[in-house]
Amino acid sequence: MDIRRLRTDVLILGAGGAGLFAALHAHQTNPALDVTIAVKGLLGKCGCTRMVQGGYNVALAPGDSIERHFMDTIEGGKWLPNQDLAWTLVTGAVERIHELENELGCFFDRNPDGSIHQKAFAGQTFDRTVHKGDLTGIEIISRLAEQVWARGIRRLEEHRALDFIAARDGSLAGVTMIDIRSGGMIFVQAKAVLLATGGGPTMYRFHTPSGDKSCDGLAMALRFGLPLRDMEMVQFHPTGLLAGADTRMTGTVLEEGLRGAGGYLLNGSGRRFMHDYDPRDERATRDIVSRAIFAEMRAGRTTPNGGVWLSMAHLGPDNVRRQFKGMVERCADSGFDLAAGKVEVVPTAHYMMGGVEFATDCTTERAGLFVAGEDSGGVHGANRLGGNGVANSTVFGGIAGDTIARSLSPGGSWSEPDDDAVNASVERALRAVASTDASAISDLESLRDRLYATMWDHAGIVRDAAGLARAASALGEIADALDRYRLPEAARERAFNMTWHDWLNLTNLVAVSRVIVRAAQARENSRGAHFRSDFPEPGDLDTSTFTRVRAADDGLAVEALPVRFTRVRPGQSLI
């Protein structure tokens, strides 16, 4: 089998905030290391960090504190976060924001006195969100990419990771990949690998990430035997743009800062409704606002496209245009006047709180494999505070780079891969383009639509046992159909074959969707982003458990493990 082979000391999968920070820190800690970044798209132009509008949570201002940020994170996560990870997040954010400004050149918005401006985000007791207008992610990724280019760090752009490959002794040997530009197969041998591909819950009808984000890293981790925690916790951002079924703009986030600044949510009849659901009104946490909007939708009190209205005009059109320039322009492109009128919105799948279990130094249970960013689980628990996501990626990305660089001894050798595993990975990836099975299925779009409907209707914002059972059954049927899928013979050229990659995307999305459903079935209470209408109570906080799912011979094995309250217990506070 024709498989090209490459070697590197450190292989970083993903070029978002976590991956780029890790590359820079690994290079700084040990400049002699050969560091390689592999990314499905183009470095600096893809990934979810670039799409961040809102900002970066960090305790900087007088009156705020890391303890207060920590308590907001724990309470927002409904007491399910790993508290050591959450503490690392809030303490590391202070160091990392200064690094972003003073060493990498990010320029965030300032107050008249020259201090960093921090705006209000929902679910927090202090205005602590640092930002660059509403284009914060572009600012951060642009500066990170510049520094990566300046240091000559090797890049494998438009390369898709397929599987982790073990050595015959069980250690990690490297990763199989596809060169998207040629369709060629590659095995990259590495002494250490960082999983930082990001999440991407694009299995739902309405979603914020771009379509190429397909939970690849989580699917790879599952196949490699790693434990995934909190996978039932999928965050829906309350305000995704709803511009109709015929535009990819539908689902795009209209950021938290709009509600933080005083924006109103109105139902189809123009009535402000959030006070019916929470005394914090529009500044309640994302899970509560999403469920409130969903309730209005199910009651039929909707806008022409089936959502609700977001109204900012009462804050003054000129003020809105100044504060939220990017979103005003984005809404105008879709026919809405955010500054002076109303915009239709719908809850949209946004972020995976769940992911690979990991330690505060970004190690996993498999030696040589590290994880950071949205691929990791345990930082946020049942709900992520807006602004904690990009902080998570950059804080733990930097830690991962430092840890990896220190873990590699000078002159260390590479582990030799299990060639049978390499060949099996490549054969699995090529199945859709290499077979001549005349009875195979070749209708991919209907499978995608069925996945969207299954996850939105039965495993989305509101769940119950019957719906989750239907989802599990449907996902099994979709997975079987994907196994039988083959591209038409005339469309099997592998170079830039986006239909082939759509099949790979859907295969990974279905695998992760099955984990989401299995974890949701196991959690018979309602916490944060996971709401069971048949088990609406949160359960006893003192005996909180998190879910752990692994691949098993007969499917998926799930267990509930107690949350360790290492710093504060329910009913207590650090402030």
Side-chain angles (χ1 to χ4, degrees), residues 177-491:
M177 310 188 82
I178 299 172
D179 181 343
I180 295 171
R181 295 167 295 188
S182 68
M185 311 304 291
I186 302 172
F187 173 69
V188 182
Q189 196 173 11
K191 298 174 184 175
V193 177
L194 173 65
L195 176 59
T197 62
T202 58
M203 65 280 286
Y204 290 90
R205 179 180 295 134
F206 303 110
H207 55 261
T208 67
S210 57
D212 67 317
K213 301 299 291 182
S214 47
C215 298
D216 297 335
L218 295 178
M220 291 171 62
L222 184 71
R223 290 192 291 269
F224 201 52
L226 290 169
L228 307 183
R229 68 169 284 171
D230 298 329
M231 287 298 292
E232 70 274 27
M233 303 300 177
V234 180
Q235 182 172 80
F236 285 78
H237 195 292
T239 52
L241 182 64
L242 184 56
D246 299 325
T247 172
R248 293 295 295 272
M249 292 299 292
T250 286
T252 302
V253 162
L254 298 181
E255 62 120 320
E256 195 95 0
L258 294 169
R259 290 182 290 115
Y264 292 162
L265 291 171
L266 313 174
N267 62 23
S269 62
R271 177 179 172 270
R272 191 179 175 196
F273 60 85
M274 269 308 302
H275 200 70
D276 298 340
Y277 300 94
D278 193 278
R280 292 170 292 183
D281 299 324
E282 286 83 1
R283 289 184 66 171
T285 53
R286 289 175 173 179
D287 54 313
I288 292 171
V289 180
S290 292
R291 284 197 298 274
I293 294 173
F294 192 67
E296 295 294 305
M297 292 168 62
R298 291 208 297 187
R301 297 185 286 269
T302 61
T303 58
N305 282 312
V308 299
W309 297 111
L310 174 65
S311 176
M312 301 292 294
H314 60 282
L315 299 176
D318 290 341
N319 178 46
V320 174
R321 292 188 189 99
R322 183 177 62 256
Q323 287 193 65
F324 305 106
K325 179 178 181 291
M327 277 178 291
V328 169
E329 293 174 353
R330 189 173 301 119
C331 289
D333 289 342
S334 299
F336 294 109
D337 186 351
L338 175 65
K342 297 181 295 186
V343 179
E344 289 185 83
V345 296
V346 67
T348 179
H350 185 49
Y351 192 93
M352 314 280 287
M353 272 79 74
V356 178
E357 287 189 43
F358 78 127
T360 55
D361 62 357
C362 297
T363 55
T364 70
E365 68 175 32
R366 295 294 289 261
L369 180 57
F370 303 79
V371 65
E374 198 173 343
D375 281 323
S376 64
V379 179
H380 309 292
N383 185 42
R384 176 182 68 92
L385 297 180
N388 268 5
V390 69
N392 175 25
S393 294
T394 57
V395 167
F396 286 103
I399 291 171
D402 293 335
T403 303
I404 290 169
R406 289 194 294 263
S407 73
L408 297 180
S409 58
S413 61
W414 287 266
S415 297
E416 290 302 317
D418 181 342
D419 287 335
D420 291 340
V422 173
N423 292 333
S425 171
V426 170
E427 288 173 1
R428 182 185 65 82
L430 290 174
R431 190 168 61 241
V433 294
S435 173
T436 57
D437 183 358
S439 64
I441 294 173
S442 60
D443 180 10
L444 204 59
E445 288 307 311
S446 65
L447 296 179
R448 187 197 317 276
D449 290 342
R450 188 176 182 196
L451 175 63
Y452 285 166
T454 296
M455 294 302 288
W456 178 263
D457 293 339
H458 303 308
I461 296 170
V462 177
R463 305 158 173 176
D464 61 29
L468 290 169
R470 287 192 290 271
S473 176
L475 290 171
E477 294 170 0
I478 297 169
D480 290 342
L482 285 168
D483 282 342
R484 300 193 306 275
Y485 174 81
R486 303 293 182 269
L487 272 76
E489 189 169 355

Side-chain angles (χ1 to χ4, degrees), residues 518-533:
R518 186 68 190 92
Q521 288 176 314
R523 180 171 289 285
E524 294 185 337
N525 58 41
S526 293
R527 292 280 184 97
H530 170 75
F531 186 82
R532 289 278 300 260
S533 60

